[in-house]
Amino acid sequence: MAQSDHESSQADKFRDLARELECDEDEAAFKAAVKKIAQTPPQHREKPKGGDPQ
């Protein structure tokens, strides 16, 4: 049972720190923040090699 006390203690510490840092729990806000810093390159479709398969 000592391990579960330790785990909840770590979780409580994490939650307290997140509140102290005024973290936002809104998923939409998270996605918007990620879009500001991370962009995926455009996907290019490769053309089949070897001509027409017919």
Side-chain angles (χ1 to χ4, degrees):
M1 184 156 172
Q3 187 174 358
S4 65
D5 290 341
H6 175 70
E7 289 175 5
S8 61
S9 174
Q10 289 287 26
D12 290 338
K13 287 180 184 179
F14 178 81
R15 287 184 198 105
D16 291 342
L17 181 59
R19 286 184 189 113
E20 183 179 323
L21 295 173
E22 298 178 4
C23 295
D24 191 350
E25 295 181 25
D26 184 28
E27 187 174 344
F30 173 76
K31 288 181 180 182
V34 170
K35 284 183 180 182
K36 285 183 183 179
I37 59 171
Q39 295 182 5
T40 58
Q43 294 182 356
H44 298 283
R45 294 184 183 210
E46 292 185 23
K47 294 181 180 179
K49 294 182 181 179
D52 193 12
Q54 293 180 5

